[in-house]
Amino acid sequence: MKQRCISCGAAYPLSQILYTCPACDDILEIAIDVTGREAPTFECEGVWRYAPLLPVPLDKSVSMGEGGTGLHALRRLQQEFGIPRLFLKNEGENPTGSFKDRGMTVGVSQAVTLGARAVACASTGNTSASLAAYAARAGMRAIVLIPGGKIAMGKLAQAIVHGAEIVQVDGNFDEAMRTVRELSLSEGEIYLLNSINPFRLEGQKTLAFEVCEALGNAPDVLILPMGNAGNISAIWKGFREFHALGLIDRLPKIIGVQAAGAAPLARYLSGDLHECRISDPETLATAIRIGAPVSWLKALRALEESGGHAAIVSDDEILAAQRKLASGEGIFVEPASVVPIAYLMRERVQAETVVCVATGHGLKDPDAILRMAPEMKQAAPSLASLRSALGLA
Ligand code: F0G
């Protein structure tokens, strides 16, 4: 395995600390040559089950049992949407409540392997929560930059309780991202763990492996949210590796969904923007409130190679989908995580097997729900009063 530039193809050893290619400045990926290789034996459960396909050895892992999340059949929704088999991969079941833990277990393990003293990230919330927890587990210093006043309460509480050094940046996520990159370039001992770091994406690709193992093959379609666009890149890489190993005999179509006020990828692809960035992203789905996705080129390739496309949903559609999933199927996910369901509520997808990725737990960001809560029924502590409140009198 080695690090390889996604544009010029230059290769570098795994032990070199790099975030972009020294030759051309584009981003890197971990290259694993699986051609002609026999499929490895997978042991244990979760992310580290796939250790033979990860760039850090199992005995170096900083782990909390991440991965192995449920792939839940959505029986009511599949009927309503006219899809024979519809599933939700519920990443809220991870230790800190989001898919970030898959990447952070590998990223922090690499930080330990490299002898880094501190780890850092910019975050819309979930990455900071996950980084703070895994750094605590590894006994390392954690530095997180967050856009001032724009991250959900639950995520901020996680970063605080795990003891991260939190810096509120007077700017949006994209500005925080640029600043933390500059910090890690100027301070060699601070290891950057945003999804620009290719080791993190290696952990996140295991979601694709789990879906394939659970279904016995790839689904026809996989739908997921896109923010900084690391996860779509990671998951597509996972499907491609399982395919190259002969463990699946087809590849899924990927549909990446963005919120209307923060949709640089979808708008760039539709020809509405000349470059893949907007300067003032806005959406109530704060996790994906991102205007300049770092992994945009990887994401475009995933969409193109898979024959998929990018789509846009509105904040109102997101709120309606969140309620529908929670009240109709019993699964509460945060606003950014429900964009695949919002998409299916509007568009007809003709496919046999569809998997939606729900990236984070609903309890991280309950604000919007509570703001729109219906008035609660009131009762005195007596049976008569309770019956009357419930309309049973
Ligand atoms: N869903 C949730 C809940 C997220 O927190 C994020 C990203 C995404 C989707 C998008 O994933 O960036 O890989 O395309 N959150 C990052 C953070 C940016 O800082 O927590 P992506």
Side-chain angles (χ1 to χ4, degrees), residues 99-100 123-124 126-127 225-231 287-288 290 334 359:
F99 72 101
K100 304 288 182 180
S123 180
T124 56
N126 281 321
T127 302
M226 293 190 296
N228 218 12
N231 207 30
I288 52 172
I290 293 174
E334 66 167 284
T359 42

Side-chain angles (χ1 to χ4, degrees), residues 43-312:
E43 285 160 20
C44 71
E45 290 303 310
V47 166
W48 294 95
R49 171 174 175 76
Y50 305 102
L53 299 175
L54 295 176
V56 183
L58 179 60
D59 62 4
K60 289 279 192 320
S61 65
V62 179
S63 173
M64 293 193 271
E66 52 293 313
T69 55
L71 184 69
H72 305 286
L74 300 182
R75 297 218 164 76
R76 280 191 198 90
L77 291 187
Q78 73 187 13
Q79 209 167 10
E80 184 176 333
F81 300 153
I83 297 170
R85 300 200 314 153
L86 176 64
F87 297 93
L88 188 87
K89 184 71 170 158
N90 188 13
E91 291 293 284
E93 295 169 24
N94 275 299
T96 76
S98 86
F99 72 101
K100 304 288 182 180
D101 296 342
R102 289 182 188 274
M104 212 50 83
T105 182
V106 177
V108 168
S109 303
Q110 174 66 0
V112 170
T113 309
L114 293 168
R117 292 261 195 82
V119 286
C121 71
S123 180
T124 56
N126 281 321
T127 302
S128 61
S130 185
L131 177 114
Y134 282 85
R137 186 104 179 135
M140 296 178 94
R141 181 177 173 191
I143 300 166
V144 308
L145 275 67
I146 56 173
K150 287 287 185 183
I151 87 165
M153 192 189 59
K155 303 172 190 179
L156 184 58
Q158 288 178 290
I160 292 169
V161 80
H162 291 303
E165 286 167 64
I166 303 167
V167 184
Q168 285 208 28
V169 174
D170 182 17
N172 62 26
F173 169 83
D174 305 302
E175 290 161 319
M177 181 71 234
R178 178 176 46 74
T179 315
V180 77
R181 265 172 88 165
E182 286 168 11
L183 175 73
S184 54
L185 287 176
S186 77
E187 303 287 326
E189 290 193 343
I190 300 180
Y191 191 56
L192 181 62
L193 277 175
N194 276 99
S195 57
I196 192 173
N197 183 314
F199 288 85
R200 241 196 64 194
L201 296 191
E202 289 302 292
Q204 288 175 213
K205 76 183 178 186
T206 59
L207 183 146
F209 299 161
E210 288 177 11
V211 167
C212 292
E213 287 206 283
L215 297 177
N217 208 336
D220 298 305
V221 176
L222 181 129
I223 314 177
L224 83 172
M226 293 190 296
N228 218 12
N231 207 30
I232 183 173
S233 317
I235 289 172
W236 178 241
K237 187 172 190 283
F239 281 121
R240 276 190 3 242
E241 285 174 10
F242 251 39
H243 192 250
L245 285 165
L247 291 167
I248 51 174
D249 63 15
R250 60 170 190 235
L251 286 163
K253 180 185 287 201
I254 311 276
I255 301 175
V257 187
Q258 299 198 289
L265 273 154
R267 291 179 56 196
Y268 177 68
L269 271 172
S270 71
D272 183 28
L273 297 174
H274 291 306
E275 51 174 4
C276 190
R277 61 163 63 223
I278 57 169
S279 55
D280 49 357
E282 200 47 83
T283 166
L284 68 81
T286 51
I288 52 172
R289 186 174 171 271
I290 293 174
V294 165
S295 297
W296 67 276
L297 186 57
K298 284 185 181 175
L300 288 192
R301 286 183 186 166
L303 293 168
E304 221 169 77
E305 287 169 20
S306 78
H309 59 268
I312 295 175

